[in-house]
Amino acid sequence: MSSVESHQEQLSQSDPSPSPNSCSSFELIDMDAGSLYEPVSPHWFYCKIIDSKETWIPFNSEDSQQLEEAYDSGKDCNGTVVPTDGGRYDVHLGERMRYAVYWDEQASEVRRCTWFYKGDKDNKYVPYSESFSQVLEETYMLAVTLDEWKKKLESPNREIIILHNPKLMVHYQPIAGSDEWGSTPTEQGRPRTVKRGVENISVVIHSGEPLQIDHLVFVVHGIGPACDLRFRSIVQCVNDFRSVSLNLLQTHFKKAQENQQIGRVEFLPVNWHSPLHSTGVDIDLQRITLPSINRLRHFTNDTILDVFFYNSPTFCQTIVDTVASEMNRLYTLFLQRNPNFKGGVSIAGHSLGSLILFDILTNQKDSLGDINSEKDLLNIVVDHEDMATLEEELKKLQLSEFINIFEKEKVDKEALALCTDKDLQEMGIPLGPRKKILNYFKSRRDLQDVSQPSIQSALGMNFPRESEPPTCSRTDDTRKAEYLDVSIGQVSVKYPRLIYKPEIFFAFGSPIGMFLTVRGLKRIDPNYKFPTCKGFFNIYHPFDPVAYRIEPMVVPGLEFEPMLIPHHKGRKRMHLELREGLTRMSMDLKNNLLGSLRMAWKSFTRAPYPALQVAETTEEVEVEAESSSEKASDGSTEASAAQDEAPVSISVGLLNGGRRIDYVLQEKPIESFNEYLFALQSHLCYWESEDTVLLVLKEIYQTQGIFLDQPLQ
């Protein structure tokens, strides 16, 4: 360490102010620090692996304050758990680790930070360890108190830190090799800047989220493990969606927030891709996958094949079970952690995820009424176990006098459930008791097997008689689970029951309309609605290649445009208004020119009439010209006028409570130059779309009687 000591002596003999050559290395600030020592204010950080690099991210100000209060409480930190990030993560203070609550995620290290040094490449500040930060702070306190600077310390990994003065502190890299070449720390590369306190480093610290949760939304992803062009997971994309919603609440619901009428909406991701691909199907696929174009084939196996998995009876059952059970688990866990939650629940699906939710909602049953507790769910499960004996079942039906007949015929409860009306008649059971028994076991089967009913009857579609697909033949009146009559080609699966009733279903970039059409569905009955969900919004980008409309299936006889989603800053985008204005102007010029020519021709060819008749004819021509102009302009401005008039004049059934279903985003100016270039991006744009998030928030809070500060047009 002789080179370091010699360099230290040179610094002590030289002028306290660094040389001009040193200024470029040390980020100098005017030395105006006071001589009084003030303790440093700590802030809590957690470590995240981003692009294979460790990145230290600060907790928001409220979470950091809570962690510091728990640290200063004087209690043993072991066993102390502090919820952070709106309750989505727990920090185990004794372990200094941060764990995700609702989903699987690698635990991250937590650190109480006071001293930082600048990193090598990204220029982001990295916190020192808590123990070495304490050593730095003690050295700094002595230097300030005694006014003795140029203090030198050695870190645990043999790095050198020199405190020249309160505003100039540097960190030298460890010296490589021996000192035989007489190398000095300045010759080991550019020194790193050292900062004391989080207020002196360039980092954004957000304020905390509102504690009050008004509504809960479950978000289901589409095909593949990645949800956007940056190959991020559903958790990261939903984090963006949540952040956008928090910003929009501050800008568009400011009055309601100031009056403490609202808090925030919580969005939780639902992952079904990982459980599906953990069944061993990837290993089976790898054995039959060709070795050529390996990356493309791996991408196909990991993403596109999810569509085919959903059309397979085996894997479709796995997917719907995973989605429903995960949403039920998340809902139960959320209520446990938020016992005062009184808000509603909605669901959202992207791409294939929206189709999964559509099928689950279609096959829900409202026969049991409200299910709003885990206790009710357990009662249903126990009821499904069906532990009662045959004698108890008959006693319940007040048919105990027939127990001897069934015992004589050696008919137990399972055999009785399979009996037909003819079988019971041959055993001598009268008509009334026969109907009771058959109806009872039919009701039990319907309750136990929450299986997919015929979508033809569920959606109220009307097939032409000659195109009706063949149904499975049966020898008796009993409908067996293994021979479900699904009528239109959808696979036979048992759809699980959700333990809550969603208020609204949001579909982003959804292929629901295409899948229903491919299954053979020609029309959705206008009177059809989800058994347990009141609202349904089909939201899509105009260039999204996967998205399809729903409304033409409800009212196939009408041609009308979807609802245009307003820009979150109000009105339409400028390029859309300009394009519509030019179109309207050209049509007006065309109509006026045609009207003038028509009137000139009629006046040229008109026979002489009395004055009164001429006046009447002229008035008639003018009315005719106006009506033709209106007809032409109606056709030219269909895309714009339909947006304003459609909510009043068009009824699209009860699927969304009588309101419109299809909602289209406005493309950005750069996207309008080439639709094909932005097609893929359009399918993945919803996570960071302010217009999409604002529509979701507006519809959710409307159910609570809370509206935007200023209505968007």
Side-chain angles (χ1 to χ4, degrees):
M1 303 297 293
S2 59
S3 61
V4 177
E5 293 174 357
S6 62
H7 179 70
Q8 180 66 25
E9 291 175 0
Q10 295 174 5
L11 287 175
S12 61
Q13 294 172 2
S14 61
D15 188 86
S17 60
S19 64
N21 295 332
S22 302
C23 294
S24 61
S25 303
F26 294 143
E27 292 190 2
L28 294 178
I29 303 177
D30 292 338
M31 297 171 54
D32 56 353
S35 59
L36 297 178
Y37 168 76
E38 294 183 0
V40 64
S41 299
H43 195 92
W44 291 77
F45 283 66
Y46 64 91
C47 183
K48 195 88 170 177
I49 305 298
I50 301 178
D51 296 333
S52 302
K53 295 187 300 183
E54 289 187 353
T55 303
W56 287 89
I57 302 174
F59 285 95
N60 64 57
S61 54
E62 291 185 5
D63 289 344
S64 180
Q65 183 178 354
Q66 289 185 359
L67 290 168
E68 185 64 20
E69 290 175 355
Y71 175 82
D72 291 335
S73 62
K75 299 179 182 179
D76 185 10
C77 292
N78 293 327
T80 301
V81 178
V82 180
T84 61
D85 299 275
R88 296 180 296 276
Y89 290 88
D90 282 342
V91 172
H92 293 234
L93 208 57
E95 304 176 21
R96 292 293 197 273
M97 297 297 289
R98 173 178 177 263
Y99 297 93
V101 174
Y102 296 104
W103 54 82
D104 293 331
E105 184 179 308
Q106 184 178 359
S108 53
E109 181 185 353
V110 173
R111 188 174 293 180
R112 183 177 182 265
C113 305
T114 52
W115 285 77
F116 306 84
Y117 66 92
K118 183 174 286 189
D120 290 328
K121 298 179 180 179
D122 53 8
N123 286 330
K124 292 184 178 179
Y125 282 92
V126 180
Y128 288 103
S129 65
E130 293 187 31
S131 58
F132 189 66
S133 293
Q134 186 174 358
V135 174
L136 285 170
E137 184 65 20
E138 291 174 355
T139 305
Y140 179 85
M141 179 182 65
L142 289 174
V144 171
T145 305
L146 302 177
D147 197 20
E148 295 179 359
W149 292 96
K150 297 183 176 59
K151 298 286 185 179
K152 181 181 68 176
L153 296 90
E154 184 176 343
S155 69
N157 52 354
R158 300 182 60 81
E159 297 180 353
I160 303 301
I161 295 93
I162 301 177
L163 310 182
H164 292 288
N165 55 61
K167 299 297 182 180
L168 178 58
M169 296 171 281
V170 291
H171 176 136
Y172 292 103
Q173 298 281 1
I175 300 173
S178 62
D179 297 333
E180 56 185 341
W181 296 97
S183 58
T184 62
T186 55
E187 296 171 345
Q188 301 300 319
R190 181 174 178 175
R192 300 173 176 177
T193 304
V194 177
K195 294 293 183 180
R196 175 179 179 266
V198 70
E199 62 275 3
N200 293 320
I201 65 175
S202 55
V203 64
V204 178
I205 300 178
H206 300 282
S207 57
E209 302 176 12
L211 296 178
Q212 176 185 339
I213 300 177
D214 306 314
H215 204 87
L216 176 63
V217 180
F218 295 118
V219 184
V220 180
H221 65 84
I223 61 173
C227 296
D228 66 355
L229 292 177
R230 287 175 282 176
F231 297 98
R232 297 186 304 166
S233 66
I234 179 63
V235 174
Q236 295 170 304
C237 290
V238 172
N239 286 344
D240 277 352
F241 203 89
R242 187 187 305 108
S243 298
V244 173
S245 72
L246 291 173
N247 294 333
L248 290 175
L249 286 175
Q250 295 176 357
T251 56
H252 290 71
F253 293 87
K254 188 175 182 180
K255 294 180 181 178
Q257 278 198 336
E258 291 176 350
N259 297 332
Q260 298 183 347
Q261 293 178 291
I262 63 172
R264 63 184 175 92
V265 177
E266 180 63 282
F267 297 90
L268 295 181
V270 177
N271 181 14
W272 57 266
H273 181 269
S274 299
L276 170 65
H277 288 262
S278 63
T279 59
V281 65
D282 288 350
I283 299 176
D284 298 335
L285 285 173
Q286 190 62 35
R287 288 198 296 265
I288 62 176
T289 301
L290 300 181
S292 59
I293 53 173
N294 182 51
R295 291 186 178 181
L296 179 58
R297 296 187 192 278
H298 176 73
F299 174 79
T300 301
N301 291 347
D302 209 29
T303 56
I304 300 176
L305 285 189
D306 286 347
V307 178
F308 298 97
F309 285 143
Y310 189 65
N311 287 322
S312 162
T314 302
F315 295 107
C316 180
Q317 187 69 64
T318 301
I319 292 174
V320 296
D321 286 345
T322 301
V323 171
S325 62
E326 182 69 4
M327 288 196 296
N328 288 340
R329 181 189 69 85
L330 291 174
Y331 181 68
T332 303
L333 180 58
F334 179 82
L335 291 182
Q336 292 174 355
R337 295 178 63 87
N338 300 273
N340 298 324
F341 176 71
K342 303 297 182 183
V345 183
S346 294
I347 56 178
H350 176 241
S351 190
L352 182 63
S354 63
L355 177 65
I356 298 170
L357 292 177
F358 184 90
D359 288 340
I360 291 177
L361 288 179
T362 298
N363 292 278
Q364 294 298 294
K365 292 190 177 180
D366 198 21
S367 57
L368 296 181
D370 293 330
I371 305 175
N372 50 17
S373 69
E374 190 177 8
K375 181 179 178 181
D376 293 331
L377 177 63
L378 293 176
N379 291 337
I380 296 173
V381 174
V382 171
D383 190 45
H384 284 182
E385 293 297 329
D386 202 4
M387 300 300 294
T389 63
L390 176 61
E391 184 176 358
E392 292 173 345
E393 299 283 7
L394 292 176
K395 184 178 180 181
K396 191 185 302 182
L397 295 173
Q398 298 180 352
L399 300 175
S400 301
E401 64 269 22
F402 298 104
I403 185 63
N404 295 330
I405 297 178
F406 294 129
E407 290 178 352
K408 180 180 179 181
E409 297 290 339
K410 296 182 180 180
V411 175
D412 57 8
K413 186 173 61 175
E414 289 75 15
L416 182 59
L418 298 174
C419 288
T420 64
D421 183 76
K422 184 177 180 181
D423 295 332
L424 295 176
Q425 185 178 4
E426 290 177 353
M427 285 187 283
I429 307 298
L431 177 62
R434 290 204 309 269
K435 294 298 183 183
K436 270 189 176 183
I437 293 173
L438 292 174
N439 184 63
Y440 174 73
F441 281 103
K442 182 179 182 300
S443 301
R444 291 300 297 269
R445 279 193 302 273
D446 292 341
L447 179 61
Q448 182 176 1
D449 299 327
V450 187
S451 56
Q452 179 188 17
S454 168
I455 300 183
Q456 177 178 352
S457 60
L459 299 184
M461 88 175 173
N462 298 318
F463 272 122
R465 201 63 188 166
E466 60 273 12
S467 65
E468 185 170 325
T471 59
C472 301
S473 60
R474 293 183 294 273
T475 57
D476 52 48
D477 296 332
T478 304
R479 185 170 181 171
K480 299 180 181 179
E482 59 268 29
Y483 298 110
L484 288 176
D485 179 10
V486 294
S487 298
I488 58 173
Q490 170 64 350
V491 294
S492 304
V493 296
K494 297 179 181 179
Y495 284 91
R497 182 77 56 83
L498 298 179
I499 61 175
Y500 54 85
K501 292 183 178 181
E503 293 192 10
I504 306 176
F505 168 33
F506 299 98
F508 305 140
S510 171
I512 292 174
M514 181 269 291
F515 270 87
L516 293 181
T517 302
V518 169
R519 291 174 184 175
L521 184 64
K522 296 182 180 297
R523 183 172 182 268
I524 299 176
D525 193 305
N527 295 322
Y528 173 73
K529 57 184 178 180
F530 293 124
T532 59
C533 184
K534 299 177 182 178
F536 176 38
F537 291 85
N538 183 37
I539 303 169
Y540 61 91
H541 191 282
F543 304 156
D544 189 340
V546 181
Y548 290 81
R549 292 192 62 183
I550 299 293
E551 291 174 339
M553 300 187 69
V554 183
V555 282
L558 292 178
E559 292 186 4
F560 53 94
E561 296 294 321
M563 292 290 292
L564 187 67
I565 299 177
H567 191 265
H568 65 283
K569 293 183 178 180
R571 299 185 61 82
K572 296 180 182 178
R573 293 184 183 270
M574 183 177 296
H575 71 288
L576 294 179
E577 288 191 344
L578 180 62
R579 185 168 62 193
E580 291 180 3
L582 292 175
T583 303
R584 191 179 299 112
M585 184 185 303
S586 63
M587 291 304 301
D588 289 343
L589 291 174
K590 177 183 176 182
N591 293 331
N592 291 335
L593 179 61
L594 289 176
S596 300
L597 290 176
R598 188 181 297 111
M599 291 180 63
W601 176 256
K602 288 190 175 182
S603 62
F604 179 75
T605 59
R606 182 185 305 132
Y609 287 102
L612 180 60
Q613 292 182 353
V614 171
E616 291 176 351
T617 307
T618 304
E619 182 179 359
E620 180 179 318
V621 171
E622 292 176 352
V623 172
E624 181 181 355
E626 291 178 0
S627 63
S628 63
S629 175
E630 290 176 358
K631 291 180 180 179
S633 62
D634 285 344
S636 65
T637 59
E638 180 183 7
S640 59
Q643 320 302 337
D644 303 326
E645 299 177 2
V648 179
S649 59
I650 298 178
S651 175
V652 289
L654 302 179
L655 198 54
N656 191 23
R659 301 175 59 193
R660 294 292 300 274
I661 299 173
D662 294 335
Y663 288 78
V664 61
L665 292 166
Q666 302 179 39
E667 72 270 18
K668 298 178 181 178
I670 191 173
E671 295 173 342
S672 61
F673 286 108
N674 193 319
E675 300 177 359
Y676 296 94
L677 185 62
F678 293 93
L680 180 58
Q681 178 180 333
S682 300
H683 183 59
L684 306 172
C685 72
Y686 306 99
W687 308 114
E688 298 178 352
S689 169
E690 292 94 341
D691 300 348
T692 302
V693 178
L694 186 58
L695 176 62
V696 171
L697 294 177
K698 180 173 73 73
E699 296 300 330
I700 285 176
Y701 279 111
Q702 275 186 1
T703 62
Q704 304 177 16
I706 298 174
F707 302 92
L708 295 170
D709 292 342
Q710 294 181 352
L712 298 178
Q713 297 179 354

